[in-house]
Amino acid sequence: MSYQQTIDISTRGRGTTEITTEVSKIVRASRIETGLANVFVLHTSCSVILTENADPSVRRDLETLALRWAPDGDPAYQHNNEGDDDMAAHGRNILAGSSISVPVSKGEPLLGTWQGIYLWEHRTHAQRRSIVVTVLG
């Protein structure tokens, strides 16, 4: 059995937006009791991540790390069609990933106590993002 739905999210630019509630609603709507939920973003300059949801400083520190891994405006970048953050955003997507898979148990995403699902926007300006949630069981 499978179920699929798309979430559209407006970001405010670089940073994280929690989508745990939206993903949980889709998992419940699927009526699948045991299985796997895949959360996949349809873009190459943002990521979907599973990270701590209790202390926001964790997500701020992740942004600090990303600035080190893929700095904006590096003169070595050849791809900068959409600005100094363009290639850095693509690099961060490769490092952080485009999808996660979460077990489904008793009709709910099986997350740890401090885990949340986030859209991580890598561009500096507001964007509209589409995320596909596929539940299999």
Side-chain angles (χ1 to χ4, degrees):
M1 189 170 171
S2 65
Y3 182 85
Q4 188 174 77
Q5 193 172 333
T6 301
I7 305 167
D8 291 314
I9 302 287
S10 292
T11 72
R12 293 177 294 206
R14 190 167 282 167
T16 57
T17 302
E18 188 166 10
I19 59 170
T20 308
T21 300
E22 292 88 341
V23 171
S24 296
K25 286 178 184 176
I26 293 170
V27 169
R28 283 192 294 278
S30 77
R31 297 181 182 245
I32 293 173
E33 288 294 312
T34 303
L36 198 60
N38 178 266
V39 184
F40 176 77
V41 65
L42 297 171
H43 307 275
T44 61
S45 55
C46 60
S47 297
V48 174
I49 60 171
L50 181 69
T51 192
E52 166 138 5
N53 64 0
D55 183 355
S57 69
V58 170
R59 293 183 305 280
R60 285 192 299 272
D61 288 346
L62 286 172
E63 191 60 50
T64 299
L65 288 170
L67 287 168
R68 292 178 185 164
W69 301 332
D72 292 335
D74 188 316
Y77 298 155
Q78 295 178 27
H79 178 78
N80 60 4
N81 298 351
E82 298 175 27
D84 283 347
D85 67 334
D86 193 9
M87 187 58 221
H90 294 305
R92 292 172 189 193
N93 165 269
I94 293 298
L95 294 170
S98 297
S99 69
I100 61 166
S101 291
V102 178
V104 172
S105 180
K106 299 177 185 172
E108 295 284 339
L110 186 58
L111 297 172
T113 302
W114 308 115
Q115 290 181 321
I117 303 169
Y118 291 84
L119 171 65
W120 188 4
E121 179 60 61
H122 302 309
R123 298 303 306 266
T124 57
H125 299 301
Q127 305 290 325
R128 184 87 172 143
R129 302 303 194 177
S130 295
I131 300 162
V132 178
V133 179
T134 305
V135 187
L136 303 170

